[in-house]
Amino acid sequence: MTPINPTELTAQQEQIRLIRARRAPGSHNTHISLHGVTQSFSPNKNAPPLVALNNVNLEIHPGEFLCIVGPSGCGKSSLLNLIAGLAFPSSGEVQLNGERVTGPGTDRILIFQEHGLFPWLTVGQNVEFGLRMLGIGRKERRERADHYLRLVHLTSFRDSYIHQLSGGMRQRVAIARALATEPKILLLDEPFAALDAQTRDMLHDELERLWRETGCTIVFVTHNVRESVRLGDRVLLMSFRPGTIINEFAIPLQRPRHIEENRVAQLAREILDHLRADINKAMEVEFANTPRSK
Ligand SMILES: Nc1ncnc2c1ncn2[C@@H]1O[C@H](COP(=O)(O)OP(=O)(O)O)[C@@H](O)[C@H]1O
Ligand SMILES: [Mg+2]
């Protein structure tokens, strides 16, 4: 790979400045920031703590589509959980508009690969579930559920049960359920990893359209570099042991994009080369520290 030259770097910085200035129509102005965020876990009393995230500093701009890529175990889910307010840093701070995050809120919603739909409820009832929790009355619940089911093209499945749907349809229900609560920030944790390529491509298009229409901020975690280039305004690269952000790439490609396009593949390859170099370095360090058997 040719290393990024200074001119390209300046172009990258300019692109990042443009992203910061961008506002989708009707978008909100919630700014997410992480300051020196470290998170450690203690698997048991005798083991040394495992540092999942080390000194992460990050600014996420209102209305941005941010992708975070990194190998398994580098702390991506931990990072999303912190932004969601489902976990708290061991040190440092996660802030929304300068205020410390002290728990979950209706302004943020997290969607996982396993999507967490209730099998004993119908599609419509699943979408209405969060609204009921928010104390929204029956008429408005119904209207909102219909609206978001229409957006994900599932109107005719309103009365079906989850087991009657394909994987892609289930993920669309999960997206509709999340969007129905009208969050400002959508946190997605490898949401499409278990889907076949065609369904995933379709959901890329739908997610992008929903993002444009609602003006929400999306933080999308994936281990698939191509997927991050397909979707993101900006891609952050994480490395493991301990998890840190090692690089940042503005994605200058015009939308619409497709994951199979050459320009997407080319940029993904360049980013992957950075990631590989970093993983090799980490492996060398780990190998050097591992006592060898005779
Ligand atoms: N609740 C937890 N208790 C102990 N260790 C955890 C916990 N959550 C995550 N970890 C560890 O932290 C590291 C990062 O995990 P995770 O954030 O799930 O990574 P990723 O999502 O990138 O695969 C892993 O080594 C994982 O085993
Ligand atoms: Mg994960």
Side-chain angles (χ1 to χ4, degrees):
M1 190 200 87
T2 36
I4 293 182
N5 69 35
T7 328
E8 281 169 334
L9 256 187
T10 317
Q12 288 267 317
Q13 279 155 359
E14 174 60 13
Q15 189 70 22
I16 288 166
R17 195 189 61 72
L18 287 174
I19 290 166
R20 286 182 182 150
R22 187 178 81 79
R23 288 280 190 288
S27 73
H28 61 92
N29 52 14
T30 307
H31 190 105
I32 308 166
S33 54
L34 280 76
H35 303 277
V37 165
T38 293
Q39 191 171 34
S40 318
F41 295 106
S42 301
N44 62 59
K45 266 191 243 148
N46 302 323
L50 180 148
V51 183
L53 292 170
N54 186 36
N55 191 28
V56 174
N57 293 292
L58 172 59
E59 304 282 335
I60 306 173
H61 314 290
E64 180 174 5
F65 200 135
L66 178 72
C67 290
I68 302 180
V69 212
S72 189
C74 73
K76 302 182 296 297
S77 297
S78 302
L79 191 67
L80 279 193
N81 285 336
L82 292 175
I83 299 173
L86 299 172
F88 301 98
S90 315
S91 64
E93 217 166 88
V94 180
Q95 296 179 344
L96 292 180
N97 288 341
E99 298 277 329
R100 187 156 67 91
V101 170
T102 55
T106 52
D107 52 351
R108 285 154 286 149
I109 200 142
L110 180 59
I111 304 180
F112 316 82
Q113 187 179 322
E114 303 80 23
H115 50 66
L117 297 170
F118 302 123
W120 59 88
L121 299 180
T122 63
V123 165
Q125 288 165 341
N126 265 285
V127 175
E128 283 187 37
F129 180 81
L131 304 178
R132 189 185 299 232
M133 294 297 105
L134 292 174
I136 292 170
R138 183 192 293 208
K139 183 164 175 288
E140 190 181 339
R141 282 205 312 261
R142 175 83 198 208
E143 282 170 5
R144 277 216 225 169
D146 285 349
H147 173 71
Y148 286 99
L149 282 174
R150 225 178 3 254
L151 279 185
V152 296
H153 308 299
L154 283 176
T155 302
S156 55
F157 290 88
R158 186 176 219 299
D159 298 320
S160 304
Y161 285 89
I162 302 306
H163 70 89
Q164 297 171 306
L165 308 181
S166 69
M169 289 158 88
R170 290 176 198 187
Q171 204 50 283
R172 273 147 64 201
V173 178
I175 291 171
R177 183 175 67 171
L179 288 174
T181 62
E182 300 184 346
K184 295 172 179 158
I185 298 161
L186 201 53
L187 306 166
L188 294 142
D189 195 355
E190 310 209 28
F192 307 145
L195 302 178
D196 62 88
Q198 270 157 313
T199 308
R200 181 204 55 198
D201 291 356
M202 193 183 72
L203 287 179
H204 285 163
D205 294 344
E206 287 194 17
L207 183 64
E208 190 172 51
R209 182 174 54 79
L210 291 168
W211 166 68
R212 249 197 320 262
E213 285 175 10
T214 61
C216 66
T217 303
I218 294 187
V219 186
F220 187 104
V221 156
T222 175
H223 59 263
N224 183 330
V225 179
R226 261 204 197 196
E227 181 169 52
S228 73
V229 174
R230 156 70 186 85
L231 290 171
D233 283 333
R234 186 161 62 121
V235 172
L236 300 182
L237 213 53
M238 284 185 68
S239 112
F240 57 166
R241 299 206 180 98
T244 55
I245 295 168
I246 50 165
N247 229 319
E248 160 172 347
F249 301 85
I251 307 300
L253 310 178
Q254 290 281 346
R255 297 173 191 269
R257 307 171 190 158
H258 191 274
I259 199 161
E260 300 299 343
E261 276 179 278
N262 278 343
R263 57 191 186 133
V264 170
Q266 167 73 25
L267 192 49
R269 245 191 323 270
E270 289 175 22
I271 294 177
L272 203 54
D273 281 344
H274 275 273
L275 190 60
R276 280 220 187 91
D278 186 77
I279 291 175
N280 286 343
K281 219 161 44 193
M283 302 274 270
E284 275 166 27
V285 171
E286 186 150 301
F287 189 66
N289 291 338
T290 310
R292 286 174 214 190
S293 51
K294 287 186 187 155

